Short mmCIF file of all heavy atoms in Angstrom, two decimals:
data_model
loop_
_atom_site.label_atom_id
_atom_site.label_comp_id
_atom_site.label_asym_id
_atom_site.label_seq_id
_atom_site.Cartn_x
_atom_site.Cartn_y
_atom_site.Cartn_z
N VAL A 1069 -21.55 6.64 2.11
CA VAL A 1069 -21.01 6.61 0.75
C VAL A 1069 -20.34 5.26 0.46
O VAL A 1069 -20.36 4.34 1.26
CB VAL A 1069 -20.03 7.78 0.52
CG1 VAL A 1069 -20.78 9.11 0.62
CG2 VAL A 1069 -18.87 7.73 1.52
N ASN A 1070 -19.74 5.18 -0.72
CA ASN A 1070 -19.11 3.96 -1.18
C ASN A 1070 -18.01 3.51 -0.21
O ASN A 1070 -17.24 4.34 0.26
CB ASN A 1070 -18.52 4.21 -2.57
CG ASN A 1070 -18.27 2.94 -3.35
OD1 ASN A 1070 -17.44 2.14 -2.98
ND2 ASN A 1070 -18.99 2.79 -4.44
N PRO A 1071 -17.91 2.21 0.07
CA PRO A 1071 -16.91 1.73 1.04
C PRO A 1071 -15.51 1.61 0.45
O PRO A 1071 -14.80 0.62 0.64
CB PRO A 1071 -17.47 0.37 1.45
CG PRO A 1071 -18.23 -0.10 0.25
CD PRO A 1071 -18.83 1.13 -0.35
N ARG A 1072 -15.10 2.62 -0.28
CA ARG A 1072 -13.76 2.75 -0.84
C ARG A 1072 -13.05 3.90 -0.12
O ARG A 1072 -13.68 4.65 0.63
CB ARG A 1072 -13.84 3.00 -2.35
CG ARG A 1072 -14.46 1.84 -3.13
CD ARG A 1072 -13.45 0.77 -3.44
NE ARG A 1072 -14.05 -0.41 -4.08
CZ ARG A 1072 -13.35 -1.43 -4.52
NH1 ARG A 1072 -12.03 -1.43 -4.42
NH2 ARG A 1072 -13.96 -2.46 -5.07
N PRO A 1073 -11.75 4.08 -0.32
CA PRO A 1073 -11.04 5.15 0.39
C PRO A 1073 -11.73 6.51 0.24
O PRO A 1073 -11.99 6.96 -0.89
CB PRO A 1073 -9.66 5.13 -0.25
CG PRO A 1073 -9.46 3.69 -0.64
CD PRO A 1073 -10.81 3.24 -1.11
N LEU A 1074 -12.02 7.14 1.36
CA LEU A 1074 -12.80 8.38 1.39
C LEU A 1074 -11.86 9.56 1.63
O LEU A 1074 -11.22 9.67 2.68
CB LEU A 1074 -13.86 8.30 2.50
CG LEU A 1074 -14.70 9.55 2.77
CD1 LEU A 1074 -15.43 10.01 1.51
CD2 LEU A 1074 -15.70 9.27 3.89
N SER A 1075 -11.80 10.45 0.66
CA SER A 1075 -10.93 11.62 0.77
C SER A 1075 -11.44 12.56 1.85
O SER A 1075 -12.66 12.72 2.06
CB SER A 1075 -10.88 12.36 -0.58
OG SER A 1075 -10.14 13.56 -0.46
N SER A 1076 -10.52 13.22 2.51
CA SER A 1076 -10.89 14.27 3.47
C SER A 1076 -11.29 15.56 2.76
O SER A 1076 -11.87 16.46 3.37
CB SER A 1076 -9.72 14.55 4.42
OG SER A 1076 -8.58 15.00 3.70
N GLU A 1077 -11.00 15.65 1.46
CA GLU A 1077 -11.33 16.83 0.69
C GLU A 1077 -12.81 16.85 0.30
O GLU A 1077 -13.37 15.80 -0.06
CB GLU A 1077 -10.48 16.90 -0.59
CG GLU A 1077 -8.99 16.97 -0.35
CD GLU A 1077 -8.55 18.30 0.22
OE1 GLU A 1077 -9.32 19.28 0.11
OE2 GLU A 1077 -7.43 18.37 0.77
N VAL A 1078 -13.42 18.02 0.39
CA VAL A 1078 -14.81 18.20 -0.01
C VAL A 1078 -14.83 18.84 -1.39
O VAL A 1078 -14.24 19.92 -1.58
CB VAL A 1078 -15.58 19.07 1.00
CG1 VAL A 1078 -17.01 19.33 0.52
CG2 VAL A 1078 -15.59 18.41 2.37
N PRO A 1079 -15.46 18.22 -2.39
CA PRO A 1079 -15.44 18.80 -3.74
C PRO A 1079 -16.17 20.14 -3.80
O PRO A 1079 -17.14 20.38 -3.08
CB PRO A 1079 -16.16 17.74 -4.58
CG PRO A 1079 -16.99 16.96 -3.61
CD PRO A 1079 -16.23 16.97 -2.32
N SER A 1080 -15.67 21.01 -4.66
CA SER A 1080 -16.29 22.32 -4.83
C SER A 1080 -17.64 22.24 -5.52
O SER A 1080 -18.50 23.11 -5.34
CB SER A 1080 -15.37 23.23 -5.66
OG SER A 1080 -14.14 23.42 -5.04
N ASN A 1081 -17.81 21.20 -6.35
CA ASN A 1081 -19.07 21.04 -7.07
C ASN A 1081 -19.23 19.56 -7.43
O ASN A 1081 -18.43 18.72 -7.01
CB ASN A 1081 -19.10 21.94 -8.32
CG ASN A 1081 -17.96 21.67 -9.27
OD1 ASN A 1081 -17.59 20.52 -9.54
ND2 ASN A 1081 -17.36 22.72 -9.82
N GLY A 1082 -20.26 19.26 -8.19
CA GLY A 1082 -20.58 17.87 -8.50
C GLY A 1082 -20.11 17.39 -9.84
O GLY A 1082 -20.62 16.39 -10.35
N LEU A 1083 -19.13 18.08 -10.44
CA LEU A 1083 -18.65 17.72 -11.77
C LEU A 1083 -17.39 16.86 -11.66
O LEU A 1083 -16.46 17.19 -10.93
CB LEU A 1083 -18.35 18.98 -12.57
CG LEU A 1083 -18.10 18.83 -14.07
CD1 LEU A 1083 -19.36 18.34 -14.78
CD2 LEU A 1083 -17.64 20.16 -14.67
N ILE A 1084 -17.36 15.76 -12.41
CA ILE A 1084 -16.20 14.89 -12.48
C ILE A 1084 -16.00 14.50 -13.94
O ILE A 1084 -16.97 14.37 -14.69
CB ILE A 1084 -16.38 13.63 -11.59
CG1 ILE A 1084 -15.11 12.77 -11.54
CG2 ILE A 1084 -17.58 12.81 -12.03
CD1 ILE A 1084 -15.18 11.66 -10.49
N GLY A 1085 -14.74 14.35 -14.37
CA GLY A 1085 -14.53 14.04 -15.77
C GLY A 1085 -13.11 13.67 -16.08
O GLY A 1085 -12.27 13.48 -15.20
N CYS A 1086 -12.82 13.57 -17.40
CA CYS A 1086 -11.46 13.25 -17.85
C CYS A 1086 -11.27 13.75 -19.27
O CYS A 1086 -12.23 14.03 -20.00
CB CYS A 1086 -11.19 11.76 -17.76
SG CYS A 1086 -12.11 10.75 -18.94
N TYR A 1087 -10.00 13.88 -19.66
CA TYR A 1087 -9.62 14.24 -21.02
C TYR A 1087 -9.46 12.98 -21.86
O TYR A 1087 -9.09 11.92 -21.35
CB TYR A 1087 -8.32 15.03 -21.02
CG TYR A 1087 -8.49 16.48 -20.63
CD1 TYR A 1087 -8.53 16.86 -19.30
CD2 TYR A 1087 -8.62 17.47 -21.60
CE1 TYR A 1087 -8.70 18.19 -18.94
CE2 TYR A 1087 -8.79 18.81 -21.25
CZ TYR A 1087 -8.83 19.16 -19.92
OH TYR A 1087 -8.99 20.47 -19.57
N SER A 1088 -9.70 13.14 -23.15
CA SER A 1088 -9.49 12.04 -24.09
C SER A 1088 -8.00 11.78 -24.25
O SER A 1088 -7.16 12.61 -23.88
CB SER A 1088 -10.13 12.35 -25.44
OG SER A 1088 -9.51 13.50 -26.03
N GLY A 1089 -7.68 10.64 -24.83
CA GLY A 1089 -6.29 10.27 -25.00
C GLY A 1089 -5.49 11.28 -25.80
O GLY A 1089 -4.31 11.50 -25.54
N ASP A 1090 -6.13 11.91 -26.80
CA ASP A 1090 -5.45 12.90 -27.63
C ASP A 1090 -5.64 14.32 -27.12
O ASP A 1090 -5.22 15.29 -27.77
CB ASP A 1090 -5.90 12.80 -29.09
CG ASP A 1090 -7.41 13.00 -29.25
OD1 ASP A 1090 -8.09 13.38 -28.27
OD2 ASP A 1090 -7.92 12.77 -30.37
N ASN A 1091 -6.31 14.47 -25.97
CA ASN A 1091 -6.56 15.78 -25.34
C ASN A 1091 -7.43 16.71 -26.18
O ASN A 1091 -7.47 17.92 -25.91
CB ASN A 1091 -5.24 16.48 -24.99
CG ASN A 1091 -4.46 15.75 -23.93
OD1 ASN A 1091 -5.04 15.21 -23.00
ND2 ASN A 1091 -3.15 15.71 -24.07
N ARG A 1092 -8.16 16.17 -27.14
CA ARG A 1092 -9.05 16.99 -27.96
C ARG A 1092 -10.42 17.14 -27.33
O ARG A 1092 -11.16 18.06 -27.68
CB ARG A 1092 -9.20 16.39 -29.35
CG ARG A 1092 -7.93 16.36 -30.19
CD ARG A 1092 -8.21 15.71 -31.54
NE ARG A 1092 -9.27 16.41 -32.26
CZ ARG A 1092 -10.08 15.83 -33.15
NH1 ARG A 1092 -9.98 14.53 -33.40
NH2 ARG A 1092 -11.00 16.55 -33.79
N TRP A 1093 -10.80 16.23 -26.44
CA TRP A 1093 -12.16 16.20 -25.90
C TRP A 1093 -12.14 16.08 -24.39
O TRP A 1093 -11.19 15.55 -23.81
CB TRP A 1093 -12.93 15.01 -26.49
CG TRP A 1093 -13.00 15.01 -27.97
CD1 TRP A 1093 -12.16 14.38 -28.85
CD2 TRP A 1093 -13.96 15.71 -28.77
NE1 TRP A 1093 -12.54 14.64 -30.15
CE2 TRP A 1093 -13.64 15.45 -30.12
CE3 TRP A 1093 -15.06 16.52 -28.49
CZ2 TRP A 1093 -14.37 15.98 -31.19
CZ3 TRP A 1093 -15.79 17.04 -29.54
CH2 TRP A 1093 -15.45 16.77 -30.87
N ILE A 1094 -13.22 16.55 -23.78
CA ILE A 1094 -13.45 16.32 -22.36
C ILE A 1094 -14.75 15.53 -22.21
O ILE A 1094 -15.78 15.88 -22.81
CB ILE A 1094 -13.59 17.63 -21.56
CG1 ILE A 1094 -12.30 18.44 -21.63
CG2 ILE A 1094 -13.93 17.34 -20.10
CD1 ILE A 1094 -12.41 19.80 -20.93
N PHE A 1095 -14.70 14.49 -21.43
CA PHE A 1095 -15.89 13.82 -20.90
C PHE A 1095 -16.11 14.34 -19.49
O PHE A 1095 -15.17 14.46 -18.70
CB PHE A 1095 -15.70 12.31 -20.84
CG PHE A 1095 -16.63 11.63 -19.86
CD1 PHE A 1095 -17.87 11.19 -20.27
CD2 PHE A 1095 -16.27 11.50 -18.53
CE1 PHE A 1095 -18.74 10.61 -19.35
CE2 PHE A 1095 -17.12 10.91 -17.61
CZ PHE A 1095 -18.37 10.47 -18.02
N ALA A 1096 -17.36 14.67 -19.15
CA ALA A 1096 -17.67 15.06 -17.78
C ALA A 1096 -19.11 14.68 -17.48
O ALA A 1096 -19.93 14.54 -18.38
CB ALA A 1096 -17.47 16.57 -17.57
N THR A 1097 -19.40 14.51 -16.18
CA THR A 1097 -20.76 14.13 -15.79
C THR A 1097 -21.11 14.75 -14.45
O THR A 1097 -20.23 15.02 -13.61
CB THR A 1097 -20.91 12.60 -15.73
OG1 THR A 1097 -22.28 12.26 -15.47
CG2 THR A 1097 -20.03 11.99 -14.66
N ALA A 1098 -22.40 14.98 -14.26
CA ALA A 1098 -22.91 15.50 -12.99
C ALA A 1098 -24.36 15.08 -12.85
O ALA A 1098 -25.07 14.91 -13.85
CB ALA A 1098 -22.82 17.03 -12.94
N PHE A 1099 -24.79 14.88 -11.60
CA PHE A 1099 -26.20 14.61 -11.28
C PHE A 1099 -26.60 15.50 -10.11
O PHE A 1099 -25.76 15.88 -9.28
CB PHE A 1099 -26.41 13.14 -10.91
CG PHE A 1099 -26.60 12.23 -12.08
CD1 PHE A 1099 -25.50 11.77 -12.80
CD2 PHE A 1099 -27.86 11.83 -12.49
CE1 PHE A 1099 -25.66 10.94 -13.89
CE2 PHE A 1099 -28.04 10.99 -13.58
CZ PHE A 1099 -26.93 10.54 -14.29
N GLU A 1100 -27.88 15.82 -10.06
CA GLU A 1100 -28.43 16.61 -8.95
C GLU A 1100 -29.75 16.00 -8.51
O GLU A 1100 -30.64 15.82 -9.35
CB GLU A 1100 -28.62 18.06 -9.38
CG GLU A 1100 -29.34 18.95 -8.39
CD GLU A 1100 -28.64 19.08 -7.04
OE1 GLU A 1100 -27.39 19.02 -6.98
OE2 GLU A 1100 -29.36 19.25 -6.04
N PRO A 1101 -29.93 15.71 -7.22
CA PRO A 1101 -28.92 15.82 -6.17
C PRO A 1101 -27.88 14.70 -6.28
O PRO A 1101 -28.19 13.63 -6.80
CB PRO A 1101 -29.73 15.70 -4.89
CG PRO A 1101 -30.93 14.90 -5.27
CD PRO A 1101 -31.24 15.27 -6.67
N TYR A 1102 -26.65 14.98 -5.78
CA TYR A 1102 -25.63 13.94 -5.87
C TYR A 1102 -25.17 13.49 -4.50
O TYR A 1102 -25.17 14.26 -3.54
CB TYR A 1102 -24.47 14.38 -6.75
CG TYR A 1102 -23.42 15.28 -6.15
CD1 TYR A 1102 -22.20 14.76 -5.73
CD2 TYR A 1102 -23.60 16.66 -6.06
CE1 TYR A 1102 -21.21 15.57 -5.22
CE2 TYR A 1102 -22.62 17.48 -5.56
CZ TYR A 1102 -21.41 16.94 -5.14
OH TYR A 1102 -20.43 17.76 -4.63
N GLN A 1103 -24.81 12.23 -4.42
CA GLN A 1103 -24.40 11.58 -3.18
C GLN A 1103 -22.90 11.63 -2.98
O GLN A 1103 -22.41 11.81 -1.87
CB GLN A 1103 -24.86 10.12 -3.19
CG GLN A 1103 -24.52 9.31 -1.95
CD GLN A 1103 -25.51 9.51 -0.84
OE1 GLN A 1103 -26.49 10.24 -1.00
NE2 GLN A 1103 -25.27 8.88 0.31
N GLU A 1104 -22.16 11.44 -4.08
CA GLU A 1104 -20.71 11.34 -4.01
C GLU A 1104 -20.14 11.44 -5.41
O GLU A 1104 -20.85 11.25 -6.40
CB GLU A 1104 -20.29 10.00 -3.40
CG GLU A 1104 -20.72 8.81 -4.27
CD GLU A 1104 -20.30 7.45 -3.72
OE1 GLU A 1104 -20.09 7.33 -2.50
OE2 GLU A 1104 -20.18 6.50 -4.53
N LEU A 1105 -18.86 11.76 -5.48
CA LEU A 1105 -18.06 11.56 -6.67
C LEU A 1105 -17.14 10.38 -6.38
O LEU A 1105 -16.68 10.21 -5.25
CB LEU A 1105 -17.26 12.81 -7.01
CG LEU A 1105 -18.07 14.09 -7.22
CD1 LEU A 1105 -17.14 15.27 -7.51
CD2 LEU A 1105 -19.10 13.93 -8.32
N PHE A 1106 -16.85 9.60 -7.41
CA PHE A 1106 -16.15 8.34 -7.16
C PHE A 1106 -15.27 7.97 -8.34
O PHE A 1106 -15.71 8.00 -9.49
CB PHE A 1106 -17.19 7.24 -6.90
CG PHE A 1106 -16.64 5.86 -6.70
CD1 PHE A 1106 -15.56 5.63 -5.87
CD2 PHE A 1106 -17.21 4.78 -7.34
CE1 PHE A 1106 -15.05 4.34 -5.69
CE2 PHE A 1106 -16.73 3.49 -7.17
CZ PHE A 1106 -15.64 3.27 -6.35
N GLN A 1107 -14.02 7.66 -8.04
CA GLN A 1107 -13.11 7.04 -9.01
C GLN A 1107 -13.05 5.57 -8.66
O GLN A 1107 -12.61 5.20 -7.58
CB GLN A 1107 -11.72 7.69 -8.94
CG GLN A 1107 -10.68 7.01 -9.82
CD GLN A 1107 -9.88 5.95 -9.07
OE1 GLN A 1107 -9.39 6.19 -7.97
NE2 GLN A 1107 -9.76 4.77 -9.68
N GLY A 1108 -13.53 4.73 -9.60
CA GLY A 1108 -13.73 3.34 -9.27
C GLY A 1108 -12.62 2.43 -9.76
O GLY A 1108 -11.52 2.86 -10.10
N VAL A 1109 -12.92 1.14 -9.81
CA VAL A 1109 -11.90 0.12 -10.06
C VAL A 1109 -12.08 -0.58 -11.40
O VAL A 1109 -11.40 -1.57 -11.68
CB VAL A 1109 -11.89 -0.91 -8.91
CG1 VAL A 1109 -11.51 -0.25 -7.61
CG2 VAL A 1109 -13.25 -1.60 -8.78
N ILE A 1110 -12.97 -0.07 -12.25
CA ILE A 1110 -13.18 -0.66 -13.57
C ILE A 1110 -12.94 0.42 -14.62
O ILE A 1110 -13.73 0.60 -15.54
CB ILE A 1110 -14.59 -1.29 -13.71
CG1 ILE A 1110 -14.96 -2.08 -12.47
CG2 ILE A 1110 -14.66 -2.21 -14.94
CD1 ILE A 1110 -16.34 -2.70 -12.52
N ARG A 1111 -11.85 1.18 -14.43
CA ARG A 1111 -11.56 2.32 -15.31
C ARG A 1111 -12.80 3.20 -15.44
O ARG A 1111 -13.20 3.57 -16.55
CB ARG A 1111 -11.08 1.83 -16.69
CG ARG A 1111 -9.72 1.13 -16.68
CD ARG A 1111 -9.33 0.69 -18.08
NE ARG A 1111 -7.94 0.26 -18.18
CZ ARG A 1111 -7.53 -1.01 -18.05
NH1 ARG A 1111 -8.41 -1.97 -17.82
NH2 ARG A 1111 -6.25 -1.30 -18.16
N CYS A 1112 -13.39 3.53 -14.29
CA CYS A 1112 -14.67 4.22 -14.29
C CYS A 1112 -14.64 5.49 -13.45
O CYS A 1112 -13.82 5.65 -12.54
CB CYS A 1112 -15.78 3.30 -13.81
SG CYS A 1112 -15.54 2.66 -12.13
N LEU A 1113 -15.59 6.39 -13.77
CA LEU A 1113 -15.86 7.58 -12.98
C LEU A 1113 -17.35 7.63 -12.68
O LEU A 1113 -18.17 7.24 -13.52
CB LEU A 1113 -15.44 8.85 -13.73
CG LEU A 1113 -13.96 9.00 -14.08
CD1 LEU A 1113 -13.75 10.25 -14.93
CD2 LEU A 1113 -13.09 9.05 -12.82
N HIS A 1114 -17.70 8.13 -11.49
CA HIS A 1114 -19.09 8.20 -11.07
C HIS A 1114 -19.44 9.59 -10.55
O HIS A 1114 -18.65 10.19 -9.82
CB HIS A 1114 -19.36 7.26 -9.89
CG HIS A 1114 -19.27 5.81 -10.17
ND1 HIS A 1114 -20.11 4.90 -9.56
CD2 HIS A 1114 -18.45 5.07 -10.96
CE1 HIS A 1114 -19.79 3.67 -9.95
NE2 HIS A 1114 -18.79 3.76 -10.80
N ALA A 1115 -20.64 10.05 -10.86
CA ALA A 1115 -21.33 11.08 -10.11
C ALA A 1115 -22.62 10.40 -9.63
O ALA A 1115 -23.64 10.42 -10.32
CB ALA A 1115 -21.63 12.31 -10.96
N ASP A 1116 -22.55 9.76 -8.49
CA ASP A 1116 -23.67 8.95 -8.01
C ASP A 1116 -24.78 9.85 -7.46
O ASP A 1116 -24.51 10.80 -6.73
CB ASP A 1116 -23.19 7.98 -6.95
CG ASP A 1116 -22.24 6.93 -7.51
OD1 ASP A 1116 -22.32 6.64 -8.72
OD2 ASP A 1116 -21.40 6.41 -6.75
N PHE A 1117 -26.02 9.53 -7.83
CA PHE A 1117 -27.12 10.43 -7.45
C PHE A 1117 -27.80 9.99 -6.16
O PHE A 1117 -27.75 8.84 -5.76
CB PHE A 1117 -28.12 10.61 -8.60
CG PHE A 1117 -28.82 9.36 -9.06
CD1 PHE A 1117 -29.93 8.87 -8.38
CD2 PHE A 1117 -28.40 8.70 -10.21
CE1 PHE A 1117 -30.60 7.74 -8.82
CE2 PHE A 1117 -29.06 7.56 -10.66
CZ PHE A 1117 -30.16 7.08 -9.97
N ARG A 1118 -28.43 10.97 -5.53
CA ARG A 1118 -29.02 10.77 -4.19
C ARG A 1118 -30.53 10.65 -4.27
O ARG A 1118 -31.21 11.45 -4.94
CB ARG A 1118 -28.64 11.94 -3.28
CG ARG A 1118 -29.19 11.85 -1.87
CD ARG A 1118 -28.57 12.93 -0.96
NE ARG A 1118 -29.14 12.91 0.38
CZ ARG A 1118 -28.79 12.06 1.35
NH1 ARG A 1118 -27.87 11.14 1.09
NH2 ARG A 1118 -29.34 12.12 2.53
#
Side-chain angles (χ1 to χ4, degrees):
V1069 296
N1070 200 294
R1072 296 277 174 175
L1074 175 57
S1075 175
S1076 60
E1077 299 289 342
V1078 176
S1080 300
N1081 58 42
L1083 192 65
I1084 186 170
C1086 69
Y1087 281 83
S1088 63
D1090 59 8
N1091 294 323
R1092 295 178 59 208
W1093 303 93
I1094 298 176
F1095 158 90
T1097 186
F1099 276 81
E1100 173 61 31
Y1102 80 101
Q1103 181 83 1
E1104 63 179 24
L1105 302 178
F1106 176 46
Q1107 174 267 312
V1109 297
I1110 317 179
R1111 292 180 169 93
C1112 60
L1113 298 175
H1114 292 216
D1116 294 334
F1117 61 82
R1118 180 170 177 80

